[in-house]
């Protein structure tokens, strides 16, 4: 179909391809690019963090990345995941780094291994094991001998593992790059002169490990030779390496942003992301990585922040559940193809950029042998412009780049999307109360009440208030602070100051008040009216963390928990009793954690008399059968408060559906034109920051599954339901000014005219067919996918024409 039109129809994409590495490669670099076996390469990379998905998901994620035009998969290595106890390593299951790298190799892709070992990544404690904090004399990430010794030991451990499996490119493996440290240049000024000596040491240590491939440091302008310094950010087109012999590389192009509890959900329009990518390659870049290409899920207690959500979707081209996000995935695939059409010219010479007017530029890669590729950019934010280049006229929409592989014909403009758009929805599965339902229904509810206050034999007493992280060593989110105090009775106010992240105050076993921290300020201060009895009163404070700090200078020193003062105000004589320095009894973690209730195998579960609802500190257990079908699964926590959930003993992460995003920061639409930031495009205001939580299909058996919940604040578990993530609708919009599809591009003008702008639709899944045309317009339609309407000019025959095409396609 041609012309101005928009189309929506019911439908859903899956492709397969495999190649293998067979011999060693020599990887070096020069001022233009990475050089693999003597050939400069333009490379497109994407981040997939292996522990944020499951081994069963990895092959499909990798294949979809390859189908999307990626050459490289980039991942961090998570130190505290692999060595939670010093000297005891774990590389099983989701932690199987070697398996992940080998799967990437089997798909014929390269690997960039970002060892760090500090990773940030909104990961708990930035990936650093908490036991490092307790080594005498240690100072993290500076010229400190205890830290350097541990950092070198782990880095060498990972390098040796890769070498033993022959995974470096020099050995015939896929790893072409490694990274040491991470974004240290953002905070190194806080460490004074020691920062420079530390970075020089890190560089020397890394290169001494003899990987046979280059090392990089991101956001490190003073990275010493031969380390390549690279850029992270929403835009890196203006970045310049710190030496003339190093290539221009972009290790983190943020495809969206992460979510924190209590905040709205950011998203990044693909037109802007494509613009940033094209500008980077236009101005001399040759290696670009999407952070993230698949974000995934913060299972267990791995989310950082603090207050980072369990979902790490990141608005990435492949969503949290492993489904392709359109049109982001498809449009970027077209950008990659367009850039690759220019690769021979890009790597053969340096770019030459000239001004075509205000906010208008042309960049040409041209060789004496006749190779020529050009990029035309309009980086103005207001209006389209018509430019003259090489004797031809080109229209450039605002904030866009046109790519000309032959310096004459446009193969793609970043603001004009040929790719389809899909609408993904969560479809609720049958509820417990649906007597006709089969599968996905919870049954056999039972529970155990978590005791208020001290219940463990391992409790201990200390004078004064203890900082939480130093006390728990992050063995649990929870720390009890308990004290008994004698009063004459009456009303008072309990005042408590805490570093966060949440706090519950119990008086004589009853919940009296609570408080929660906020993103950017996790401190909690509560003033709770209480009624005291004459004689002994028990005050129990339950403090919990929601992920530990993962970024900033000396971030490891940022504390949590009740640090005081803790005071009783307004007693009978108007006095204030400060309890802060008295004897407090402490319990690390919950009784249920000590008993291993998350496994669901305990004999202590009760099912009579009545299931408690909307009560704090309750463990719940239920059984269920797998939701029908094969679509990705989520658990809808509507009705619950805050806590953690386990499926067959595996933690799907913390849940917190009652933490609502602020209601004043979202807009109905987002203009992609102009510089993006994480607060520019927001959705989900006034709703839970996260309501649905990923349950990997591979964790669910056909029947006899066990769900365990620890509910911290109070909720109704009978409201829990499963939902499956489905792509049911697909849309496309093409105008007469769109270039022909990249796959059909040719420099032959007559062939292009015969082809013209083309609208192409296909179901994303092989087992689906187009069942219904919901909307079709030929003319001036308005709106977006899912909400198209006819414009002033519209052909009345458009829908019938499209329906005839659909019928013919089905027959063929």
């Amino acid at each position: 179909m041609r012309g101005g039109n928009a189309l929506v129809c019911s439908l859903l994409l899956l492709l397969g391809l495999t190649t293998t590495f067979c011999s060693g490669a020599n990887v070096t670099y020069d001022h233009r690019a990475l050089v693999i076996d003597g050939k400069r390469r333009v490379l497109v990379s994407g981040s997939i963090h292996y522990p944020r998905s499951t081994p069963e998901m990895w092959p499909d994620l990798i294949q979809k990345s390859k189908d999307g035009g990626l050459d490289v998969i980039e991942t961090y290595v998570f130190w505290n995941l692999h060595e939670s106890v010093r000297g005891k390593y774990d590389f099983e299951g989701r932690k199987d780094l070697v398996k992940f790298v080998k799967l990437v190799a089997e798909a014929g892709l390269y690997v960039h291994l970002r060892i760090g070992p500090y990773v940030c990544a909104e990961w708990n404690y930035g990936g650093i094991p908490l036991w490092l904090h307790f080594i005498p004399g240690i100072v993290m990430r500076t010229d400190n001998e205890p830290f350097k010794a541990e950092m070198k030991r782990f880095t060498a451990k990972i390098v040796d593992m890769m070498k033993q499996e022959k995974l470096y490119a020099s050995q015939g493996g896929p790893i072409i790059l490694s990274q040491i440290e991470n974004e240290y240049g953002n905070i190194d000024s806080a460490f004074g002169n020691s920062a420079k000596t530390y970075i020089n040491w890190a560089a020397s240590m890394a290169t001494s490990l003899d990987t046979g491939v280059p090392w990089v440091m991101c956001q490190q302008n003073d990275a010493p030779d031969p380390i390549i310094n690279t850029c992270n950010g929403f835009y890196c087109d203006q970045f310049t390496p710190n030496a003339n012999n190093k290539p221009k590389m972009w290790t983190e192009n943020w495809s969206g942003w992460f979510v924190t509890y209590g905040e709205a959900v950011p998203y990044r329009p693909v037109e802007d992301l494509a613009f940033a990518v094209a500008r980077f390659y236009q101005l001399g870049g040759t290696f670009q990585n999407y952070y993230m290409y698949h974000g995934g899920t913060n299972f267990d207690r791995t989310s950082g922040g603090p207050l980072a959500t369990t979902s790490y979707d990141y608005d990435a081209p492949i969503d949290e559940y492993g489904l392709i996000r359109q049109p982001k995935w498809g449009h970027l695939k077209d950008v990659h193809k367009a850039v690759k059409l220019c690769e021979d010219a890009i790597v053969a010479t340096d770019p030459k950029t000239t001004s075509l007017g205000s906010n208008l530029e042309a960049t040409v890669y041209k060789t004496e042998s006749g190779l020529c590729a050009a990029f035309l950019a309009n980086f103005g934010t207001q209006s389209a412009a018509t430019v003259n280049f090489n004797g031809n006229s080109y229209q450039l929409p605002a904030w866009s780049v046109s790519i000309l592989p032959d310096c004459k014909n446009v193969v793609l403009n970043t603001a004009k999307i040929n790719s389809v758009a899909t609408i993904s929805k969560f479809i609720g599965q049958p509820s417990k109360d649906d007597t006709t339902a089969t599968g996905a229904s919870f049954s056999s509810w039972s529970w155990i009440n978590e005791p208020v206050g001290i219940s463990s034999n391992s409790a201990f007493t200390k004078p004064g208030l203890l900082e939480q992280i130093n006390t728990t060593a992050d063995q649990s989110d929870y720390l009890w602070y308990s004290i008994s105090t004698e009063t004459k009775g009456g009303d008072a106010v309990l005042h408590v100051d805490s570093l966060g992240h949440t706090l519950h105050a119990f008086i004589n076993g009853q919940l009296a008040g609570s408080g929660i921290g906020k993103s950017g300020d996790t401190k909690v201060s509560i003033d709770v009216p209480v009624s005291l009895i004459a004689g002994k009163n028990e005050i129990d404070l339950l403090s919990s963390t929601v992920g530990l700090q993962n970024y900033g200078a000396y971030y490891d020193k940022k504390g949590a928990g009740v640090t005081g003062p803790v005071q009783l105000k307004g007693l009978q004589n108007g006095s204030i009793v400060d309890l802060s320095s008295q004897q407090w009894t402490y319990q690390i973690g919950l009784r249920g954690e000590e008993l291993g209730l998350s496994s669901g195998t305990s004999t202590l579960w009760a099912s009579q008399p009545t299931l408690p609802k909307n009560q704090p500190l309750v463990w719940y257990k239920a059984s269920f059968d797998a939701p029908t079908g094969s679509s990705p699964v989520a658990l809808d926590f509507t009705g619950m408060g805050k806590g953690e959930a386990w499926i067959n003993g595996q933690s799907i992460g913390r849940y917190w559906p009652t933490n609502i995003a602020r209601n004043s920061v979202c807009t109905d639409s987002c203009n992609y034109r102009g510089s993006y930031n994480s607060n520019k495009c927001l959705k989900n205001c006034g709703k839970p920051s996260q309501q649905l939580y990923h349950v990997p299909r591979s964790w669910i058996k056909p029947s006899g599954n066990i769900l365990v919940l620890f509910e911290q604040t109070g909720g109704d578990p009978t409201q829990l339901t499963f939902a499956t993530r489905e792509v049911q609708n697909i849309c496309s919009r093409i105008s007469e000014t769109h270039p022909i599809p990249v796959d059909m591009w040719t420099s032959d003008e007559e062939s292009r005219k015969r082809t013209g702008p083309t609208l192409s639709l296909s179901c994303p899944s092989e087992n689906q067919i187009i069942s219904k045309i919901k909307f079709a317009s030929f003319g001036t339609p308005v709106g977006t996918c899912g909400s198209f309407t006819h414009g002033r000019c519209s052909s009345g025959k458009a829908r019938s024409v499209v329906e005839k095409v659909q019928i013919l396609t089905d027959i063929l």
Side-chain angles (χ1 to χ4, degrees):
M1 259 172 280
R2 303 181 189 178
N5 49 65
L7 187 147
V8 182
C9 58
S10 291
L11 25 136
L12 256 166
L13 183 18
L14 196 58
L15 304 172
L17 207 63
T18 302
T19 57
T20 58
F21 292 87
C22 56
S23 60
N26 180 34
V27 184
T28 58
Y29 64 84
D30 62 18
H31 78 291
R32 286 297 296 123
L34 288 179
V35 180
I36 302 176
D37 283 338
K39 183 179 180 181
R40 291 175 177 169
R41 293 292 307 274
V42 169
L43 296 171
V44 182
S45 175
S47 291
I48 300 176
H49 295 159
Y50 54 98
R52 282 175 159 149
S53 55
T54 65
E56 292 78 9
M57 294 173 67
W58 292 345
D60 185 57
L61 295 174
I62 294 165
Q63 187 61 53
K64 286 174 178 174
S65 300
K66 182 174 183 175
D67 294 340
L70 298 196
D71 307 293
V72 184
I73 300 296
E74 182 179 283
T75 185
Y76 282 126
V77 179
F78 299 85
W79 188 359
N80 59 7
L81 184 76
H82 297 299
E83 195 184 5
S84 59
V85 177
R86 190 182 188 280
K88 295 182 179 180
Y89 297 100
D90 186 355
F91 291 93
E92 301 296 320
R94 289 185 297 109
K95 307 170 187 179
D96 194 342
L97 173 61
V98 167
K99 180 177 181 178
F100 180 77
V101 173
K102 287 184 175 180
L103 286 171
V104 176
E106 289 174 12
L109 300 180
Y110 296 119
V111 172
H112 178 194
L113 195 65
R114 306 177 75 187
I115 299 176
Y118 163 76
V119 300
C120 185
E122 294 69 57
W123 187 270
N124 193 52
Y125 215 54
I128 300 290
L130 202 114
W131 51 259
L132 260 72
H133 178 75
F134 299 100
I135 293 176
I138 199 166
V139 183
M140 307 282 193
R141 303 178 70 202
T142 188
D143 189 12
N144 172 268
E145 293 305 322
F147 179 74
K148 291 191 299 182
E150 296 297 332
M151 176 176 166
K152 180 178 181 179
R153 182 180 57 80
F154 181 75
T155 303
K157 168 74 176 179
I158 298 301
V159 169
D160 287 344
M161 282 183 63
M162 299 302 107
K163 284 183 176 181
Q164 288 171 14
E165 298 292 335
K166 300 188 183 304
L167 293 176
Y168 282 103
S170 56
Q171 303 171 295
I175 302 173
I176 59 169
L177 280 173
S178 289
Q179 178 177 301
I180 195 70
E181 250 298 337
N182 187 55
E183 296 185 327
Y184 189 67
N186 294 349
I187 52 95
D188 59 3
S189 61
F191 295 94
N193 294 332
S194 294
K196 181 64 176 176
T197 53
Y198 167 65
I199 282 299
N200 289 341
W201 168 84
S204 177
M205 180 271 289
T207 54
S208 72
L209 297 175
D210 193 26
T211 62
V213 301
W215 287 83
V216 305
M217 285 182 174
C218 62
Q219 296 295 91
Q220 195 66 47
N221 291 335
D222 61 351
D225 293 343
I227 308 295
I228 306 169
N229 67 304
T230 66
C231 182
N232 291 356
F234 290 115
Y235 308 93
C236 282
D237 50 280
Q238 301 300 314
F239 169 74
T240 302
N242 65 9
N244 293 331
N245 66 332
K246 297 179 182 179
K248 182 173 179 174
M249 299 177 62
W250 191 359
T251 37
E252 290 188 17
N253 177 1
W254 301 325
S255 58
W257 202 244
F258 61 91
V259 184
T260 54
Y261 284 114
E263 299 296 329
V265 177
Y267 62 97
R268 187 178 185 186
V270 68
E271 296 94 332
D272 173 68
L273 184 55
F275 170 80
V277 172
R279 282 288 282 169
F280 180 73
Y281 288 113
Q282 173 184 355
L283 298 179
T286 52
F287 180 101
Q288 183 266 157
N289 175 77
Y290 297 102
Y291 186 100
M292 301 292 294
Y293 199 74
H294 165 73
T297 307
N298 292 316
F299 298 114
D300 301 306
R301 297 167 52 244
T302 58
S303 62
L307 304 181
T309 57
T310 296
S311 172
Y312 201 66
D313 180 83
Y314 224 88
D315 196 36
I318 303 174
D319 73 14
E320 177 181 4
Y321 294 82
L323 299 179
I324 287 171
R325 174 175 276 118
Q326 296 281 37
K328 184 169 274 190
W329 182 90
H331 190 44
L332 294 175
K333 176 181 179 179
D334 287 345
V335 172
H336 306 154
K337 287 182 177 180
V339 170
K340 289 292 187 170
L341 288 171
C342 305
E343 180 173 11
D344 288 347
I346 289 174
V347 299
T349 186
D350 294 337
K352 294 183 179 179
T353 300
T354 57
S355 174
L356 299 177
S358 178
N359 297 322
L360 301 167
E361 285 182 349
T363 299
V364 176
Y365 294 89
K366 188 174 183 179
T367 68
E368 293 181 358
S369 63
L371 290 173
C372 190
F375 294 76
L376 308 181
N378 178 356
F379 47 94
T381 62
Q382 299 302 314
S383 58
T386 300
V387 300
N388 188 280
F389 173 73
N390 281 356
N392 294 307
S393 180
Y394 301 88
Q395 186 182 48
L396 297 175
W399 206 251
S400 76
V401 177
S402 284
I403 300 175
L404 292 65
D406 58 359
C407 284
K408 181 179 180 181
N409 299 294
V410 175
V411 64
L412 177 139
N413 178 273
T414 57
K416 296 181 177 181
I417 300 173
N418 272 320
S419 173
V420 298
T422 56
I423 300 177
S424 298
K425 292 184 178 180
F426 286 100
I427 306 301
Q429 296 295 298
S431 68
K432 175 179 177 292
D433 297 327
D434 185 349
T435 57
T436 65
T438 58
S441 300
F442 294 105
S443 61
S444 304
W445 282 104
S446 56
W447 70 93
I448 298 175
N449 288 314
E450 175 68 27
V452 173
I454 306 303
S455 60
S456 172
N457 293 331
S458 60
F460 59 93
T461 300
K462 293 278 186 179
L465 297 166
L466 302 181
E467 189 277 326
Q468 183 167 346
I469 300 171
N470 279 302
T471 305
T472 66
D474 200 35
Q475 297 172 37
S476 168
D477 283 354
Y478 299 97
L479 179 64
W480 281 105
Y481 298 72
S482 297
I483 193 171
S484 296
T485 184
E486 296 276 347
T487 74
K488 295 181 179 180
D491 294 333
V493 172
L494 175 65
H495 172 82
V496 184
D497 281 343
S498 168
L499 296 178
H501 308 143
T502 76
L503 176 67
H504 303 293
F506 296 83
I507 303 295
N508 297 321
Q510 299 299 310
L511 180 63
S514 302
I516 63 173
K518 297 179 180 179
S519 176
D521 182 12
T522 58
K523 293 180 180 179
V524 179
S525 183
I526 61 173
D527 288 283
V528 181
V530 296
S531 294
L532 303 174
I533 60 175
K536 182 190 294 184
N537 290 267
E538 298 289 340
I539 300 175
D540 297 299
L541 306 177
L542 179 61
S543 175
S544 73
T545 54
V546 188
L548 302 188
Q549 188 80 18
N550 59 256
Y551 181 75
Y554 302 105
Y555 76 87
D556 53 296
K557 298 185 182 299
K558 187 174 177 65
V562 179
T563 52
V566 177
Q567 299 169 328
L568 285 172
K569 300 180 179 180
L571 297 172
Q572 287 180 337
N573 57 1
S575 63
I576 297 175
V577 176
D578 193 326
L579 305 173
S580 307
S581 59
Q582 296 187 22
Q583 290 286 119
W584 287 81
T585 301
Y586 295 90
Q587 178 181 304
I588 297 170
L590 306 171
R591 178 63 173 163
E593 291 176 313
E594 189 175 59
L595 294 172
L597 296 185
S598 62
S599 69
T601 59
S602 171
T603 59
L604 300 176
W605 295 96
S607 56
Q608 297 293 332
T610 304
L611 184 72
K613 299 178 182 180
N614 301 312
Q615 296 180 18
L617 307 186
V618 181
W619 292 82
Y620 295 103
K621 173 185 169 184
S623 60
F624 67 94
D625 294 339
T628 57
S630 59
S631 299
V633 177
L635 192 53
D636 186 337
F637 276 86
T638 298
M640 298 302 288
K642 176 187 179 297
E644 188 173 353
W646 295 262
I647 299 287
N648 296 325
Q650 298 197 72
S651 172
I652 65 171
R654 303 181 183 95
Y655 65 84
W656 200 355
T658 53
N659 204 327
I660 306 300
R662 291 179 294 143
N663 205 22
S664 60
V665 293
C666 294
T667 56
D668 293 334
S669 62
C670 180
N671 185 352
Y672 70 84
R673 302 167 185 86
S675 294
Y676 179 82
N677 63 69
S678 60
N679 294 313
K680 181 179 180 181
C681 305
L682 300 169
K683 60 184 179 181
N684 230 43
C685 286
K687 299 177 181 179
S689 296
Q690 185 177 354
Q691 179 176 317
L692 292 130
Y693 292 75
H694 182 204
V695 180
R697 274 276 182 188
S698 59
W699 292 7
I700 306 174
K701 301 177 293 185
S703 61
N705 298 282
I706 299 297
L707 167 70
V708 173
L709 309 170
F710 172 65
E711 174 53 51
Q712 178 180 328
T713 62
D716 179 359
T718 64
Q719 293 188 43
L720 285 170
T721 57
F722 280 111
T724 55
R725 184 131 172 102
E726 312 282 356
V727 180
Q728 294 187 320
N729 296 285
I730 192 166
C731 322
S732 186
R733 179 173 185 163
I734 302 295
S735 73
E736 291 177 339
T737 62
H738 273 65
I740 65 173
V742 177
D743 287 336
M744 301 179 181
W745 186 84
T746 172
S747 58
D748 181 72
E749 187 170 352
E750 288 302 317
S751 297
R752 288 199 324 278
K753 287 181 178 179
R754 286 195 302 270
T755 305
T758 303
L759 188 151
S760 177
L761 291 171
S762 62
C763 294
S765 177
E766 292 179 352
N767 63 359
Q768 288 186 308
I769 61 170
I770 299 174
S771 60
K772 183 180 180 181
I773 305 299
K774 294 183 176 180
F775 178 91
S777 174
F778 185 90
T780 58
V782 295
T784 58
C785 186
S787 60
F788 284 130
T789 58
H790 295 284
R792 291 184 178 181
C793 172
S794 181
S795 169
K797 298 180 180 180
R799 182 164 178 171
S800 63
V801 169
V802 174
E803 288 174 337
K804 289 178 182 178
V805 173
Q806 175 204 353
I807 293 170
L808 179 60
T809 303
D810 290 344
I811 293 173
L812 295 175

